[in-house]
Amino acid sequence: MTTTLLLTGILVAVFVGYNIGGATTGPAFGPAVGADAISKTLAGGLMTVFFFVGAWTIGRRVVDTLGRELVRDPGVFTLEASVGVLFFIGVALFIGNFFGVPASTSMTAVGSIAGLGLATGELNWAVMGEIAIWWIVSPFIGFWVSLIIGRYFYAELNRRIALERSEGPLFEVDRSGIVPVPALSDTTNVREAGGVVMVIVIGCLMAYSSGTSNIANAVAPLVGSGELEMNPAIVIGCFAVGIGTFTIARRTLETMGNELTELPLTAAIITATVSATLVIFLSAIGIPASFVIIATMSIIGLGWGRATRPMTVGDAVRGEESAPVSVGSLSDDREGEELPPIGEEAEPERIPKASDLFDPATTARVVLMQNVVPAIATVGAYATFQFVPIFGL
């Protein structure tokens, strides 16, 4: 019976990892694939490698938080309970995908385990409070950092960053010597090659940040149960993620995964860098984080900062419209475009509205689902572990 339950738990964990790989590869490497910088197969390979590195180095701290610290007595993680928690995480992924919004597996995993802790009276409220505080604070950090970048640095970054792919391959191999040497092709300039490398590096950073935070969502319950050691669990979880990156992720790569990759290249690089850096920091201190929520707030902050460049911070906060505004929406920007300096007036018709900075309906749907799905997991887990006798808690 124990062996059957353990195998069931591993299969459910693999299913969760598979979906994580499919959902996170598009946002990480969608821009690089869309620019014909790398193939979908190479994107899957890079995602797998850097996800594993993130999981192996920092991700184990988040596994400890979810599997050993969020509940006071890890003994409540019986095999039955671990399978139940993983089931709710898998259901949350399905609900998010059904509504076209990637559900936060980190928040849902915490919600499911918190439901277990509430049902057994073993929830560690100090750890839960610390996680909740960072969930509130981190999106606002992303918002303000991106706002400052958008207001004071975006124009210069947009001028420097350009990725207009030329015809033909980026690189060619010089085989005239004894050792083949890669070199830029005749149709590629240094600036184009630098832009491509930057997009790939940002994708690797996002893959690493995903590994630091998301590995716990697939394996923490099994590690907490004591039935799987940390290292084998990480290997199994990363293997499942790798399968997802080479299979279902091809669809998310085709559509760029989410609206983040529909931004101009400059904005995508900024929001991805800010969001991934925050997720890595939170993972390093053992806090499971939601990349999607942080990225959403970063996009809003960048758009607001970009649109209020000639205004003072006080004017922007008060909503005064007497100050001239120089730009429209982020989507109007083109890589390499010269943008007007701070204080330069624009034509009146280009004064942006809220809908120019971000899509309010989409933003509301993302934020709503990011909070509703974990709440469903918490309530469902609590009810199941409290009233279904099969779990024996």
Side-chain angles (χ1 to χ4, degrees), residues 192-387:
E192 178 186 354
V196 169
V197 171
M198 181 183 296
V199 172
I200 296 174
V201 169
I202 295 301
C204 294
L205 176 66
M206 292 178 67
Y208 178 83
S209 73
S210 180
T212 64
S213 181
N214 284 327
I215 187 63
N217 306 324
V219 302
L222 293 178
V223 173
S225 71
E227 297 295 335
L228 270 184
E229 295 296 326
M230 179 75 74
N231 290 346
I234 290 176
V235 171
I236 291 173
C238 291
F239 175 76
V241 170
I243 296 176
T245 65
F246 284 103
T247 53
I248 192 174
R250 290 181 172 270
R251 299 182 64 183
T252 60
L253 283 168
E254 191 70 32
T255 59
M256 302 299 183
N258 59 36
E259 282 138 8
L260 174 64
T261 55
E262 294 174 2
L263 296 171
L265 177 64
T266 307
I269 288 176
I270 292 171
T271 54
T273 302
V274 171
S275 304
T277 302
L278 274 172
V279 170
I280 292 172
F281 165 73
L282 293 174
S283 299
I285 61 175
I287 303 297
S290 171
F291 179 89
V292 175
I293 288 183
I294 295 175
T296 300
M297 292 299 291
S298 296
I299 292 170
I300 296 172
L302 185 65
W304 193 16
R306 172 73 177 85
T308 59
R309 279 168 41 80
M311 302 171 65
T312 65
V313 174
D315 290 337
V317 173
R318 289 191 299 270
E320 296 180 1
E321 298 182 358
S322 57
V325 180
S326 63
V327 295
S329 66
L330 281 171
S331 59
D332 293 333
D333 298 336
R334 289 181 290 274
E335 289 74 46
E337 177 186 15
E338 290 282 354
L339 301 179
I342 294 177
E344 181 174 319
E345 294 192 16
E347 296 297 326
E349 62 269 15
R350 295 201 67 197
I351 295 177
K353 301 177 182 178
S355 58
D356 293 326
L357 309 183
F358 55 91
D359 185 341
T362 300
T363 301
R365 183 163 57 94
V366 169
V367 174
L368 178 66
M369 290 301 298
Q370 288 287 313
N371 289 277
V372 167
V373 171
I376 292 174
T378 304
V379 173
Y382 172 78
T384 300
F385 295 127
Q386 179 72 21
F387 300 111

Side-chain angles (χ1 to χ4, degrees), residues 170-185:
L170 284 170
F171 301 96
E172 57 186 15
V173 179
D174 183 2
R175 304 181 185 276
S176 59
I178 299 177
V179 179
V181 178
L184 295 179
S185 66

Side-chain angles (χ1 to χ4, degrees), residues 154-162 191 198 266 335-337:
Y154 187 89
E156 179 64 18
L157 291 172
N158 195 64
R159 185 181 66 82
R160 292 177 177 272
I161 297 175
R191 186 180 184 186
M198 181 183 296
T266 307
E335 289 74 46
E337 177 186 15

